[in-house]
Amino acid sequence: MPAAAVEAKPNSQPKTGRNSNIRLRERLAPVLVVLPSIALIGLFVYGFIAWSGYVSLSKWNTLVRNLSFAGLENYRFLFQDFRFQSDLRNTLMFTLLFIATCLAIGLTLALLVHANIRFESLFRNLFIFPMALSFVVTGVAWQWILNPSTGVNLLLRKLGAEDLPAWYTSTTVVPSISLGQIDFGLPVALLAVLIAAVWQLSGFTMAMFIAGLRAINEDIYEAARMDGATERQILRSITLPLLRPVTTSAVIILGHISLKIFDLIYAMTGPGAAFVTDVPGVYMFETTFRGNHYGQGSAIAIIMLLLVSILIVPYLISSMRKEEA
Amino acid sequence: MPTYSRANRAVTYALLTLFSLFFLIPIYVMAVTSFKSLDEVTLDRMWELPSALHLSGYGEALKKLAPNLLNSVYLAVPATVISCLLGSLNGYVFAKWKFRGSDILFVCILFGMFIPYQSILIPLIQFMQAIRLYNTIPGLILVHVIYGIPITTLIFRNFYAGIPTELLESAKIDGAGFFGIYRHIFFPLSMTGFVVVGIWQFTSVWNEFLFAVTLTTQKQQPIMVALQNLSGSQVVHWNVQMAGALLAALPTLLVYVFLSRYFVKGLLAGSIKG
């Protein structure tokens, strides 16, 4: 590893006994400082993941701890389980929509706010503040706003709408392609959760894009304008390509939040009828802590970890490579 | 900066206003509802302003949530302070005192930031029970400090990377050692770093739910768990619930209002270099 060789050792000093003692101490000090953190992460992250993996292969599905080996039984159960199949569908649909909507709104807001407007910081601050709130608070608030018998529907009714949306109480799945036991498609109820999640995180996406816009050199724009490019052409062939790295980061951040999502859904809708708003995080919590199915709970957790890792590990490796270069 | 025609400007402001409304809706609803009296909180009047500023919702929410609010203070303040100190020392090493294998170790630590906490939850509970810190605030502090190591280390490392290495080299020539350089040079230069990491950690610990709900019961529960229980209870008094939600959100909202510049910095730093 080339970067590890950046160790600072000026060789000018003569190696007397006392000096090399001090040198040794100076070289050990940094290692000793980070050692506790490394040990803690080693145990609490890697050790515990290994232990969860072991539990997921065990027969521990009652209150009494039973760690005898069950092979892949818990995994086999989950993949045949209606609820878990629904969860995977929901996670997939939610993640795709969540990332796409946050990117679209985030980019739109960034371009609007960055366009040399008045009250720029006021608007910016307004769009970011939901990030400071807890998902539980967000869930409680949107649960009421999207309650089918009041909230937005009340306004819609006043406007004369008759077919009022059922929001998170809807059990419809579109386009509803039968796939095994579940209907594959987008559960309409997820849109309600999506609104709340986008409300909370599109401002953050905007902040990332603004940071990206600020990093673009103004000279490029000047040159393009001199060449007679229209604003639309500039956006398409200069701004958007230059924002690609920021977009990648945003996809990684939003994606891992979405794959892990728990509090918002737990506070806002719970699993929903026919599990239309259920996600692995909620299922894991309920099956482990309400049902005492520790083996199955661990198996869900390990699957969640794998999903997140598929997204995160390549990103971490590539950003490490970039740093070394 | 693109120059826009007048029509374009009008569209820009119209769009911004529309988005602003969308972002303000939940706050409006929560605030309006929290100031209503119980008999005023009806489904068909939810968008209306309260007839007067009724504080009964807040009174009841405070009565129910005050112990949990205090729990959250006892939790978030020490967890934030310890996280900052630990992250600062770690960041100092990973930015300026690299050793053989330190870059690999750093990435291994970073990975801890992205894991779903469900994947360590069951062993964590067993471990906390074994060391007798289950269902205690100190136990939750420990958990937040440990799982905060990746992010606090990352933010401080990026922060210290911006401090010129020449400063360190010249201090070394003057005979200053590892701790001396930290104490006299890096620590005094890190106030912004401490504010950013402090806000980040305070906000995440205050708002955290999964650890809080699985590692504590009843009296020890932090505010977010108590708030969730309040809305899950049989009789829903919306004014009490919204007052509770606003009380629970107040500390992080205040931090945001007064320190939004640093809040955003923390957010972006938390997303691995924007």
Side-chain angles (χ1 to χ4, degrees):
Chain A
M1 244 196 70
V6 188
E7 234 168 302
K9 10 176 164 165
N11 273 330
S12 53
Q13 286 174 2
K15 281 198 175 177
T16 63
R18 193 173 150 268
N19 250 339
S20 68
N21 245 347
I22 294 175
R23 290 261 310 279
L24 185 68
R25 229 177 57 198
E26 285 299 302
R27 276 177 52 184
L28 271 181
V31 181
L32 289 178
V33 162
V34 291
L35 202 59
S37 296
I38 290 167
L40 286 170
I41 293 293
L43 175 66
F44 278 73
V45 173
Y46 295 93
F48 284 5
I49 286 175
W51 183 245
S52 284
Y54 183 75
V55 173
S56 78
L57 300 173
S58 79
K59 291 182 179 160
W60 186 14
N61 281 316
T62 51
L63 202 53
V64 185
R65 189 179 309 172
N66 175 4
L67 288 170
S68 50
F69 190 68
L72 293 172
E73 192 42 52
N74 290 316
Y75 292 92
R76 196 175 307 138
F77 169 83
L78 284 173
F79 283 108
Q80 288 169 358
D81 180 30
F82 174 77
R83 178 168 184 182
F84 194 67
Q85 289 180 6
S86 312
D87 288 1
L88 290 179
R89 170 199 65 200
N90 297 346
T91 304
L92 178 71
M93 290 297 161
F94 184 78
T95 301
L96 292 177
L97 276 180
F98 174 67
I99 293 177
T101 319
C102 278
L103 288 182
I105 296 185
L107 182 62
T108 308
L109 291 179
L111 290 172
L112 289 175
V113 167
H114 195 68
N116 205 6
I117 52 152
R118 248 183 245 209
F119 315 115
E120 179 189 326
S121 68
L122 180 76
F123 282 119
R124 211 179 41 218
N125 287 337
L126 185 66
F127 300 145
I128 301 173
F129 92 90
M131 246 326 250
L133 297 181
S134 161
F135 269 129
V136 175
V137 172
T138 305
V140 169
W142 281 99
Q143 183 193 30
W144 202 21
I145 298 167
L146 296 177
N147 184 318
S149 51
T150 177
V152 175
N153 279 4
L154 203 61
L155 299 181
L156 291 176
R157 196 177 302 140
K158 272 188 190 144
L159 290 172
E162 277 175 18
D163 266 338
L164 294 174
W167 301 112
Y168 51 79
T169 59
S170 163
T171 50
T172 314
V173 178
V174 282
S176 189
I177 302 157
S178 180
L179 194 84
Q181 309 165 64
I182 59 157
D183 291 333
F184 192 78
L186 170 71
V188 174
L190 270 184
L191 292 177
V193 186
L194 185 77
I195 292 175
V198 166
W199 179 79
Q200 183 138 10
L201 283 151
S202 52
F204 162 64
T205 319
M206 172 200 74
M208 288 188 78
F209 278 125
I210 290 180
L213 286 172
R214 283 201 185 134
I216 298 176
N217 195 333
E218 285 290 326
D219 297 346
I220 303 179
Y221 290 126
E222 289 306 318
R225 257 175 231 130
M226 296 274 261
D227 292 344
T230 64
E231 292 303 325
R232 192 175 295 253
Q233 283 170 327
I234 289 176
L235 178 68
R236 186 174 299 168
S237 41
I238 300 182
T239 312
L240 292 184
L242 285 174
L243 284 179
R244 209 167 284 152
V246 183
T247 314
T248 310
S249 299
V251 168
I252 301 291
I253 303 296
L254 294 168
H256 98 98
I257 292 174
S258 167
L259 292 173
K260 302 196 289 201
I261 199 157
F262 164 68
D263 352 9
L264 177 70
I265 292 180
Y266 185 74
M268 191 174 161
T269 63
F275 303 118
V276 280
T277 57
D278 200 43
V279 286
V282 174
Y283 191 9
M284 188 277 169
F285 179 79
E286 290 190 341
T287 197
T288 309
F289 301 104
R290 298 238 178 96
N292 297 308
H293 292 100
Y294 290 88
Q296 285 163 21
S298 298
I300 299 174
I302 295 295
I303 295 169
M304 290 175 73
L305 180 72
L306 290 177
L307 286 177
V308 170
S309 299
I310 293 171
L311 188 73
I312 292 303
V313 171
Y315 182 69
L316 280 180
I317 291 174
S318 84
S319 63
M320 186 175 73
R321 290 239 173 90
K322 228 176 278 164
E323 199 125 309
E324 277 174 21
Chain B
M1 219 49 74
T3 40
Y4 284 116
S5 66
R6 195 168 276 183
N8 260 335
R9 298 221 135 225
V11 174
T12 302
Y13 284 111
L15 278 174
L16 283 170
T17 312
L18 271 179
F19 276 115
S20 303
L21 284 179
F22 171 62
F23 278 87
L24 284 172
I25 283 175
I27 292 294
Y28 171 80
V29 168
M30 288 204 285
V32 164
T33 313
S34 69
F35 286 114
K36 284 180 181 169
S37 67
L38 190 53
D39 42 298
E40 222 182 327
V41 202
T42 53
L43 291 181
D44 54 319
R45 278 159 71 187
M46 95 166 248
W47 295 99
E48 288 170 25
L49 289 167
S51 60
L53 286 188
H54 297 281
L55 292 173
S56 60
Y58 282 92
E60 205 167 321
L62 255 185
K63 205 169 68 193
K64 283 189 174 144
L65 298 177
N68 310 96
L69 274 168
L70 274 181
N71 284 343
S72 281
V73 174
Y74 297 146
L75 164 65
V77 173
T80 303
V81 173
I82 301 170
S83 286
C84 282
L85 291 173
L86 196 61
S88 160
L89 280 167
N90 285 344
Y92 173 57
V93 172
F94 284 116
K96 297 293 179 197
W97 292 82
K98 293 187 178 179
F99 50 88
R100 194 178 294 273
S102 67
D103 282 350
I104 289 267
L105 278 176
F106 178 66
V107 175
C108 293
I109 291 179
L110 271 197
F111 181 66
M113 187 164 97
F114 296 102
I115 60 163
Y117 291 135
Q118 283 86 353
S119 65
I120 47 86
L121 201 53
I122 293 169
L124 179 68
I125 291 169
Q126 290 182 285
F127 186 84
M128 296 308 273
Q129 283 167 338
I131 62 169
R132 296 177 179 281
L133 283 178
Y134 180 76
N135 199 21
T136 63
I137 297 296
L140 266 188
I141 294 175
L142 181 72
V143 167
H144 280 293
V145 168
I146 291 173
Y147 293 105
I149 288 174
I151 184 78
T152 57
T153 303
L154 171 74
I155 302 179
F156 270 113
R157 194 197 74 137
N158 289 350
F159 182 80
Y160 288 140
I163 296 179
T165 307
E166 291 79 37
L167 213 59
L168 185 121
E169 295 300 334
S170 61
K172 261 190 204 164
I173 290 164
D174 291 345
F178 174 82
F179 286 109
I181 296 173
Y182 176 75
R183 231 183 68 198
H184 299 295
I185 303 178
F186 280 76
F187 183 79
L189 283 174
S190 359
M191 280 317 120
T192 316
F194 273 95
V195 175
V196 169
V197 174
I199 291 172
W200 175 272
Q201 272 304 86
F202 181 82
T203 317
S204 12
V205 175
W206 187 273
N207 289 340
E208 203 278 334
F209 182 70
L210 184 62
F211 286 141
V213 76
T214 49
L215 289 171
T216 56
T217 54
Q218 292 164 9
K219 272 191 186 166
Q220 308 301 323
Q221 281 170 346
I223 181 67
M224 288 311 157
V225 183
L227 178 67
Q228 167 60 24
N229 291 343
L230 196 66
S231 54
S233 58
Q234 294 285 315
V235 194
V236 186
H237 294 325
W238 286 104
N239 59 338
V240 180
Q241 213 183 103
M242 293 300 155
L246 279 179
L247 284 175
L250 198 61
T252 52
L253 273 183
L254 285 180
V255 163
Y256 173 76
V257 168
F258 289 110
L259 300 164
S260 62
R261 204 158 69 88
Y262 300 101
F263 178 81
V264 176
K265 257 191 199 171
L267 278 184
L268 294 179
S271 59
I272 318 198
K273 292 170 287 171

mmCIF file of all heavy atoms in Angstrom, chain B residues 98-117:
data_model
loop_
_atom_site.group_PDB
_atom_site.id
_atom_site.type_symbol
_atom_site.label_atom_id
_atom_site.label_comp_id
_atom_site.label_asym_id
_atom_site.label_seq_id
_atom_site.Cartn_x
_atom_site.Cartn_y
_atom_site.Cartn_z
ATOM 1 N N LYS B 98 -0.076 9.253 9.698
ATOM 2 C CA LYS B 98 -0.376 7.956 9.093
ATOM 3 C C LYS B 98 0.710 6.944 9.431
ATOM 4 O O LYS B 98 1.882 7.296 9.493
ATOM 5 C CB LYS B 98 -0.501 8.113 7.583
ATOM 6 C CG LYS B 98 -1.701 8.937 7.196
ATOM 7 C CD LYS B 98 -1.907 8.951 5.702
ATOM 8 C CE LYS B 98 -3.160 9.763 5.377
ATOM 9 N NZ LYS B 98 -3.387 9.820 3.942
ATOM 10 N N PHE B 99 0.304 5.728 9.670
ATOM 11 C CA PHE B 99 1.275 4.655 9.914
ATOM 12 C C PHE B 99 0.950 3.506 8.978
ATOM 13 O O PHE B 99 -0.029 3.562 8.223
ATOM 14 C CB PHE B 99 1.229 4.213 11.384
ATOM 15 C CG PHE B 99 -0.163 3.900 11.896
ATOM 16 C CD1 PHE B 99 -0.694 2.625 11.746
ATOM 17 C CD2 PHE B 99 -0.932 4.885 12.520
ATOM 18 C CE1 PHE B 99 -1.962 2.341 12.214
ATOM 19 C CE2 PHE B 99 -2.202 4.598 12.980
ATOM 20 C CZ PHE B 99 -2.717 3.329 12.818
ATOM 21 N N ARG B 100 1.772 2.490 8.999
ATOM 22 C CA ARG B 100 1.579 1.363 8.093
ATOM 23 C C ARG B 100 0.179 0.779 8.263
ATOM 24 O O ARG B 100 -0.196 0.389 9.367
ATOM 25 C CB ARG B 100 2.626 0.301 8.384
ATOM 26 C CG ARG B 100 2.751 -0.765 7.312
ATOM 27 C CD ARG B 100 3.838 -1.747 7.666
ATOM 28 N NE ARG B 100 5.160 -1.115 7.657
ATOM 29 C CZ ARG B 100 5.920 -1.014 6.558
ATOM 30 N NH1 ARG B 100 5.484 -1.516 5.432
ATOM 31 N NH2 ARG B 100 7.098 -0.431 6.614
ATOM 32 N N GLY B 101 -0.600 0.781 7.205
ATOM 33 C CA GLY B 101 -1.930 0.189 7.274
ATOM 34 C C GLY B 101 -3.008 1.142 7.769
ATOM 35 O O GLY B 101 -4.168 0.753 7.888
ATOM 36 N N SER B 102 -2.652 2.389 8.069
ATOM 37 C CA SER B 102 -3.660 3.274 8.667
ATOM 38 C C SER B 102 -4.799 3.606 7.689
ATOM 39 O O SER B 102 -5.942 3.778 8.102
ATOM 40 C CB SER B 102 -3.022 4.550 9.209
ATOM 41 O OG SER B 102 -2.521 5.335 8.159
ATOM 42 N N ASP B 103 -4.463 3.678 6.391
ATOM 43 C CA ASP B 103 -5.526 4.009 5.427
ATOM 44 C C ASP B 103 -6.557 2.896 5.320
ATOM 45 O O ASP B 103 -7.757 3.146 5.241
ATOM 46 C CB ASP B 103 -4.925 4.297 4.047
ATOM 47 C CG ASP B 103 -4.313 5.693 3.996
ATOM 48 O OD1 ASP B 103 -4.542 6.448 4.965
ATOM 49 O OD2 ASP B 103 -3.620 6.017 3.023
ATOM 50 N N ILE B 104 -6.067 1.657 5.348
ATOM 51 C CA ILE B 104 -6.985 0.516 5.317
ATOM 52 C C ILE B 104 -7.849 0.501 6.582
ATOM 53 O O ILE B 104 -9.066 0.343 6.522
ATOM 54 C CB ILE B 104 -6.181 -0.806 5.238
ATOM 55 C CG1 ILE B 104 -5.549 -0.940 3.865
ATOM 56 C CG2 ILE B 104 -7.062 -1.996 5.567
ATOM 57 C CD1 ILE B 104 -6.357 -1.709 2.875
ATOM 58 N N LEU B 105 -7.208 0.737 7.717
ATOM 59 C CA LEU B 105 -7.945 0.758 8.987
ATOM 60 C C LEU B 105 -9.024 1.832 8.948
ATOM 61 O O LEU B 105 -10.144 1.627 9.413
ATOM 62 C CB LEU B 105 -6.989 1.034 10.151
ATOM 63 C CG LEU B 105 -6.213 -0.179 10.663
ATOM 64 C CD1 LEU B 105 -5.230 0.244 11.740
ATOM 65 C CD2 LEU B 105 -7.175 -1.229 11.226
ATOM 66 N N PHE B 106 -8.668 2.985 8.375
ATOM 67 C CA PHE B 106 -9.622 4.085 8.318
ATOM 68 C C PHE B 106 -10.869 3.684 7.513
ATOM 69 O O PHE B 106 -11.995 3.943 7.934
ATOM 70 C CB PHE B 106 -8.946 5.314 7.702
ATOM 71 C CG PHE B 106 -9.850 6.486 7.553
ATOM 72 C CD1 PHE B 106 -10.355 7.132 8.668
ATOM 73 C CD2 PHE B 106 -10.223 6.948 6.299
ATOM 74 C CE1 PHE B 106 -11.209 8.216 8.540
ATOM 75 C CE2 PHE B 106 -11.075 8.028 6.158
ATOM 76 C CZ PHE B 106 -11.564 8.659 7.287
ATOM 77 N N VAL B 107 -10.655 3.041 6.381
ATOM 78 C CA VAL B 107 -11.800 2.609 5.573
ATOM 79 C C VAL B 107 -12.624 1.559 6.328
ATOM 80 O O VAL B 107 -13.863 1.568 6.276
ATOM 81 C CB VAL B 107 -11.332 2.063 4.202
ATOM 82 C CG1 VAL B 107 -12.500 1.512 3.415
ATOM 83 C CG2 VAL B 107 -10.660 3.166 3.415
ATOM 84 N N CYS B 108 -11.928 0.674 7.056
ATOM 85 C CA CYS B 108 -12.646 -0.331 7.851
ATOM 86 C C CYS B 108 -13.509 0.353 8.919
ATOM 87 O O CYS B 108 -14.620 -0.093 9.209
ATOM 88 C CB CYS B 108 -11.681 -1.304 8.521
ATOM 89 S SG CYS B 108 -10.830 -2.349 7.338
ATOM 90 N N ILE B 109 -12.986 1.435 9.488
ATOM 91 C CA ILE B 109 -13.780 2.191 10.474
ATOM 92 C C ILE B 109 -14.960 2.861 9.786
ATOM 93 O O ILE B 109 -16.089 2.808 10.276
ATOM 94 C CB ILE B 109 -12.892 3.239 11.186
ATOM 95 C CG1 ILE B 109 -11.877 2.535 12.097
ATOM 96 C CG2 ILE B 109 -13.735 4.220 11.986
ATOM 97 C CD1 ILE B 109 -10.938 3.472 12.814
ATOM 98 N N LEU B 110 -14.700 3.463 8.609
ATOM 99 C CA LEU B 110 -15.765 4.167 7.875
ATOM 100 C C LEU B 110 -16.962 3.263 7.584
ATOM 101 O O LEU B 110 -18.109 3.695 7.635
ATOM 102 C CB LEU B 110 -15.235 4.682 6.540
ATOM 103 C CG LEU B 110 -14.614 6.051 6.483
ATOM 104 C CD1 LEU B 110 -14.550 6.517 5.057
ATOM 105 C CD2 LEU B 110 -15.418 7.040 7.323
ATOM 106 N N PHE B 111 -16.667 2.013 7.276
ATOM 107 C CA PHE B 111 -17.734 1.069 6.945
ATOM 108 C C PHE B 111 -18.784 1.034 8.059
ATOM 109 O O PHE B 111 -19.980 0.894 7.790
ATOM 110 C CB PHE B 111 -17.131 -0.324 6.717
ATOM 111 C CG PHE B 111 -18.140 -1.370 6.356
ATOM 112 C CD1 PHE B 111 -18.830 -1.293 5.156
ATOM 113 C CD2 PHE B 111 -18.398 -2.432 7.213
ATOM 114 C CE1 PHE B 111 -19.765 -2.259 4.815
ATOM 115 C CE2 PHE B 111 -19.334 -3.398 6.877
ATOM 116 C CZ PHE B 111 -20.025 -3.303 5.674
ATOM 117 N N GLY B 112 -18.355 1.226 9.294
ATOM 118 C CA GLY B 112 -19.266 1.199 10.431
ATOM 119 C C GLY B 112 -20.341 2.275 10.370
ATOM 120 O O GLY B 112 -21.374 2.187 11.027
ATOM 121 N N MET B 113 -20.093 3.288 9.541
ATOM 122 C CA MET B 113 -21.035 4.397 9.422
ATOM 123 C C MET B 113 -22.254 3.992 8.600
ATOM 124 O O MET B 113 -23.333 4.536 8.751
ATOM 125 C CB MET B 113 -20.293 5.528 8.720
ATOM 126 C CG MET B 113 -20.974 6.832 8.611
ATOM 127 S SD MET B 113 -19.701 8.034 8.198
ATOM 128 C CE MET B 113 -19.860 8.129 6.454
ATOM 129 N N PHE B 114 -22.055 3.032 7.690
ATOM 130 C CA PHE B 114 -23.108 2.711 6.737
ATOM 131 C C PHE B 114 -23.925 1.481 7.123
ATOM 132 O O PHE B 114 -24.987 1.250 6.553
ATOM 133 C CB PHE B 114 -22.495 2.483 5.352
ATOM 134 C CG PHE B 114 -21.837 3.708 4.781
ATOM 135 C CD1 PHE B 114 -20.464 3.854 4.791
ATOM 136 C CD2 PHE B 114 -22.618 4.734 4.257
ATOM 137 C CE1 PHE B 114 -19.870 4.992 4.277
ATOM 138 C CE2 PHE B 114 -22.021 5.868 3.741
ATOM 139 C CZ PHE B 114 -20.653 6.002 3.746
ATOM 140 N N ILE B 115 -23.431 0.690 8.055
ATOM 141 C CA ILE B 115 -24.141 -0.558 8.351
ATOM 142 C C ILE B 115 -25.530 -0.272 8.899
ATOM 143 O O ILE B 115 -25.740 0.707 9.611
ATOM 144 C CB ILE B 115 -23.379 -1.437 9.370
ATOM 145 C CG1 ILE B 115 -23.176 -0.692 10.692
ATOM 146 C CG2 ILE B 115 -22.054 -1.925 8.809
ATOM 147 C CD1 ILE B 115 -22.822 -1.606 11.838
ATOM 148 N N PRO B 116 -26.507 -1.116 8.567
ATOM 149 C CA PRO B 116 -27.797 -1.008 9.239
ATOM 150 C C PRO B 116 -27.592 -1.486 10.684
ATOM 151 O O PRO B 116 -26.995 -2.544 10.882
ATOM 152 C CB PRO B 116 -28.694 -1.988 8.476
ATOM 153 C CG PRO B 116 -27.877 -2.572 7.383
ATOM 154 C CD PRO B 116 -26.456 -2.226 7.610
ATOM 155 N N TYR B 117 -28.034 -0.688 11.637
ATOM 156 C CA TYR B 117 -27.758 -1.072 13.022
ATOM 157 C C TYR B 117 -28.515 -2.337 13.434
ATOM 158 O O TYR B 117 -28.173 -2.966 14.426
ATOM 159 C CB TYR B 117 -28.051 0.096 13.966
ATOM 160 C CG TYR B 117 -27.059 1.222 13.790
ATOM 161 C CD1 TYR B 117 -27.472 2.544 13.721
ATOM 162 C CD2 TYR B 117 -25.701 0.947 13.667
ATOM 163 C CE1 TYR B 117 -26.560 3.574 13.533
ATOM 164 C CE2 TYR B 117 -24.779 1.962 13.482
ATOM 165 C CZ TYR B 117 -25.215 3.280 13.419
ATOM 166 O OH TYR B 117 -24.302 4.289 13.225
#
